[in-house]
């Protein structure tokens, strides 16, 4: 351990907590230690839950919650280069992509501040029934209680923001367990909330053993909602175990895009950029492209050179498009899926200097893992199809349902695809990887059971109390 490695404590009840043990955070690119974080477990999770429950006893009025959220947004903007550097160092995300994430985290706080200011219930038209005549009724939106938040490695800042910012907007204290490989960005944001004036206990961050911390969050009756983003196996298991709580899941996808014969000129450019950004480690990274036969030859001729032109290398370099995947185990899994496929590898497929070259596979079998599971790596498959009917049917042949895309100049085809693709969101003439932070974003089927985006999350994190007045 060199003296220059930064050390970070857990944030519990407003205090910086040491535990005597440390988690080393390593660069996925070089393997060097980029920071170390105090390692927590069940005991620290319980302290954090106690601190959150105590915070709930002293509610913060909406105008103050909104002002804190706005101040955090400004602080992120002021320190966006530091945050982007932290994201890039711990996740191996190319710096230019990390900068976009830092900006998006600021906008997530801004949208959460808006929601804090306008959170309100509804009036009920009581005299619409004879029984209601002479009564006035309305709902109050009340904080649901303590929130347990569990976040993944791939957007270590903005997906944390999508949990802790709406929680504060809703008036709920939160206990966050970030991914063990990327806890630094989460602590960065939580500490900015403290700097922005958040009283103790409203945000608590416990890094360490997922099972031990997760079990405490599941078992504690004061936790009324768990918000989880990550893999389906972990998420659905949490939902089963925490059946008395609201468990909101944002999970994976095997993202399809349909390219019709009349797709716009820039279709290949958009899809090439969005299949390989952050080495394909986005839940809506383009994975399966269904190309109609009339467009097949020209699309392949346009797409493959664009993929080959992407710059693969050190995520800290300004020009890098594609960096490492999160660890060697994931790298080996992805390569083994490429080796198993029955399709033709048109480009890539090998590992150079520890990095998977961006890989394009033509016509793998529907049973290949690259077709039916979430690859979460720099690999995209192209499928030649005879018709829009076939494209929609095959795009839907997946247990997942997060986002999908169709590229066409024909409004009827676009609207048909939008109706028939069984996904939480459908983009038209835009990569399915597109997300703006005010959107309702979330999947159906195995991809989850909720919509994230501050306006939607705040409603999940509150409950309606009906008040009936006899006049
Ligand atoms: P993961 O392995 O499921 O981990 C996600 C989080 O769950 C981490 O904080 C992890 O902690 C924690 N965890 C693991 N086991 C747990 C347990 N038994 N109890 C409680 N928590 C537990 O997922 P990941 O590899 O970080 O992320 C990739 C996945 O996330 C992909 O499937 C991707 O599609 C999905 N994702 C979905 C969205 C969306 O919005 N739909 C966005 C981004 C990513 P440790 O790190 O300590 O193991």
């Amino acid at each position: 351990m060199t003296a220059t490695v930064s050390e970070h404590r857990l944030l519990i009840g407003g205090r910086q907590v040491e535990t005597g043990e440390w988690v080393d955070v390593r660069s996925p690119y070089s393997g060097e230690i980029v920071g170390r974080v105090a390692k927590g477990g069940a005991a620290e999770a319980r302290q954090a839950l106690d601190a959150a429950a105590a915070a709930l006893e002293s509610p913060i009025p909406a105008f103050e919650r909104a002002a804190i959220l706005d101040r955090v947004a400004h602080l992120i903007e002021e320190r966006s280069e530091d945050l982007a550097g932290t994201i890039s160092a711990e996740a191996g995300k190319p710096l230019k992509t990390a900068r976009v994430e830092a900006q998006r985290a600021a906008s997530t706080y801004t949208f959460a501040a808006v929601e804090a200011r306008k959170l309100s219930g509804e009036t009920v038209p009581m005299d619409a029934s004879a029984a209601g005549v002479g009564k006035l009724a309305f709902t109050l939106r009340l904080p649901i209680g303590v929130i347990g938040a569990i976040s993944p490695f791939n957007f270590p800042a903005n997906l944390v923001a999508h949990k802790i910012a709406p929680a504060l907007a809703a008036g709920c204290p939160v206990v966050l367990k970030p991914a063990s490989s990327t806890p630094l960005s989460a602590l960065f944001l939580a500490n900015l909330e403290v700097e922005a004036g958040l009283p103790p206990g409203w945000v608590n961050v416990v890094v360490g053993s997922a099972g031990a911390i997760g079990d405490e969050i599941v078992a504690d009756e004061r936790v009324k909602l768990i918000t989880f983003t990550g893999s389906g196996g972990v998420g659905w298991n949490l939902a089963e175990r925490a059946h008395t709580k609201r468990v909101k899941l944002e999970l994976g996808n095997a993202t399809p895009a349909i390219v019709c014969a009349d797709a716009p000129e820039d279709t290949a450019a958009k899809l090439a950029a969005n299949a390989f950004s952050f080495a394909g480690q986005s839940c809506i990274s383009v994975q399966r492209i269904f190309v109609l036969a009339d467009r097949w030859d020209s699309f392949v001729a346009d797409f493959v050179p664009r993929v080959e032109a992407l710059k693969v290398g050190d995520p800290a370099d300004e020009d890098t498009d594609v960096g490492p995947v999160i660890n060697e185990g994931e790298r080996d899994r992805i390569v083994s899926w490429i080796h198993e496929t029955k399709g033709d590898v048109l480009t890539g497929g090998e590992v150079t200097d520890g990095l998977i070259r961006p890989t394009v596979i033509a016509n793998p079998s529907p049973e290949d893992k690259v077709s039916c599971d979430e690859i979460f790596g720099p690999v995209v498959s192209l499928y030649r199809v005879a018709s829009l009917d076939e494209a929609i049917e095959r795009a839907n042949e997946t247990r997942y349902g997060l986002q999908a895309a169709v590229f066409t100049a024909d409004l009827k085809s676009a609207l048909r695809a939008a109706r028939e693709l069984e996904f939480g969101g459908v983009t038209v003439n835009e990569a399915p990887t597109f997300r703006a932070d005010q959107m309702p974003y979330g999947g159906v089927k195995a991809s989850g059971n909720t919509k994230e985006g501050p306006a939607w999350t705040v409603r999940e994190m509150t409950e309606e109390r009906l008040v009936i007045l006899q006049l």
Side-chain angles (χ1 to χ4, degrees):
M1 175 67 49
T2 63
T4 54
V5 169
S6 58
E7 290 185 345
H8 306 260
R9 277 104 194 128
L10 306 178
L11 177 61
I12 300 177
R15 290 179 306 115
Q16 301 284 324
V17 174
E18 274 197 34
T19 60
E21 281 188 89
W22 297 90
V23 178
D24 288 338
V25 182
R26 289 179 185 276
S27 156
Y29 179 69
S30 65
E32 281 167 20
I33 297 174
V34 296
R36 58 200 306 241
V37 179
K39 182 176 182 189
E44 289 74 20
R46 282 195 295 274
Q47 288 165 21
L49 290 161
D50 289 346
L56 195 58
E57 301 291 310
S58 310
I60 308 174
F63 81 95
E64 281 182 18
R65 304 200 303 268
I68 293 168
L69 290 161
D70 274 337
R71 283 199 288 275
V72 176
H74 291 137
L75 287 169
I76 294 173
E77 271 163 18
E78 271 173 29
R79 296 188 206 158
S80 64
E81 272 303 294
D82 283 353
L83 179 56
T86 303
I87 295 166
S88 178
E90 67 176 350
K93 184 170 286 196
L95 201 49
K96 58 186 172 190
T97 320
R99 286 195 177 112
V100 175
E101 182 176 347
Q103 285 304 323
R104 284 185 52 192
S107 85
T108 301
Y109 272 88
T110 301
F111 287 121
V114 169
E115 295 310 316
R117 290 193 171 96
K118 65 180 206 197
L119 190 61
S120 63
E122 289 177 20
T123 54
V124 182
M126 290 304 284
D127 68 351
S129 74
V133 172
K135 292 184 167 62
L136 172 67
F138 55 90
T139 60
L140 300 173
R141 270 206 177 267
L142 301 172
I144 191 168
V146 173
I147 307 281
I150 301 177
S151 58
F153 77 83
N154 63 330
F155 284 83
N158 196 35
L159 291 181
V160 165
H162 268 287
K163 301 193 177 313
I164 66 179
L168 178 56
C172 298
V174 61
V175 174
L176 169 73
K177 197 217 90 60
S180 296
S181 50
T182 57
L184 303 178
S185 307
L187 284 163
F188 189 111
L189 289 186
N191 285 317
L192 284 192
E193 290 196 1
V194 173
E195 192 177 330
L198 188 70
W202 283 86
V203 65
N204 306 275
V205 183
V206 186
V207 179
S209 159
I213 299 164
D215 287 352
E216 292 299 324
I217 290 175
V218 167
D220 195 312
E221 288 184 1
R222 296 168 298 182
V223 176
K224 300 298 182 197
L225 180 145
I226 297 177
T227 166
F228 173 87
T229 302
S231 59
V234 177
W236 292 112
N237 178 268
L238 280 171
E240 250 173 53
R241 292 194 292 141
H243 49 87
T244 58
K245 307 183 194 306
R246 281 188 200 171
V247 181
K248 297 296 159 188
L249 303 174
E250 289 279 1
L251 308 171
N253 201 27
T255 310
I258 295 173
V259 179
C260 296
D262 59 357
E265 281 290 299
D266 61 357
T267 301
K270 282 185 174 163
L271 291 176
N274 285 287
F276 299 100
S277 173
F278 192 31
Q281 297 169 114
S282 157
C283 45
I284 43 175
S285 193
V286 180
Q287 179 174 333
R288 300 178 298 143
I289 305 180
F290 297 93
V291 185
L292 271 82
D294 287 351
R295 187 67 180 262
W296 175 262
D297 289 344
S298 62
F299 181 81
V300 173
D302 192 3
F303 186 75
V304 173
R306 288 179 190 281
V307 174
E308 287 171 341
L310 293 168
K311 186 161 182 279
V312 182
D314 184 345
D317 281 354
E318 295 283 343
D319 298 337
T320 295
D321 299 303
V322 183
V325 294
I326 192 70
N327 57 43
E328 285 177 15
E330 280 298 284
R331 187 186 69 200
D332 295 346
R333 173 190 63 76
I334 294 161
V335 170
S336 77
W337 287 21
I338 299 170
H339 288 159
E340 280 169 38
T341 179
K342 295 175 195 70
D344 296 329
V345 177
L346 301 182
T347 188
E350 75 275 18
V351 173
T352 320
D353 298 330
L355 306 177
I356 304 172
R357 312 304 297 180
T359 300
V360 181
I361 302 169
N363 296 309
S365 115
E367 290 79 37
D368 287 354
K369 291 202 184 94
V370 295
S371 297
C372 50
D373 289 326
E374 181 185 38
I375 186 129
F376 225 59
V379 181
V380 70
S381 294
L382 312 181
Y383 307 80
R384 184 184 167 120
V385 291
S387 63
L388 181 59
D389 282 345
E390 184 190 348
I392 293 174
E393 193 184 318
R394 292 186 58 188
N396 284 339
E397 268 173 10
T398 166
R399 63 184 182 282
Y400 296 112
L402 187 47
Q403 269 191 186
V406 60
F407 289 81
T408 177
D410 179 48
L411 197 54
K412 267 194 184 162
S413 300
L415 290 177
R416 206 187 125 204
R419 280 189 221 284
E420 295 182 17
L421 285 166
E422 294 157 2
F423 290 79
V426 176
T427 60
V428 177
N429 297 335
E430 180 52 273
T433 319
F434 178 79
R435 180 179 183 188
D437 294 284
Q438 72 275 30
M439 287 174 14
Y441 173 79
V444 296
K445 295 160 67 180
S447 292
N449 61 6
T450 189
K451 295 281 187 206
E452 249 180 20
W456 284 263
T457 312
V458 161
R459 272 150 194 78
E460 300 275 27
M461 290 179 171
T462 50
E463 54 194 7
E464 283 190 297
R465 166 96 36 89
L466 177 66
V467 181
I468 308 161
L469 304 182
Q470 178 64 52
L471 301 176

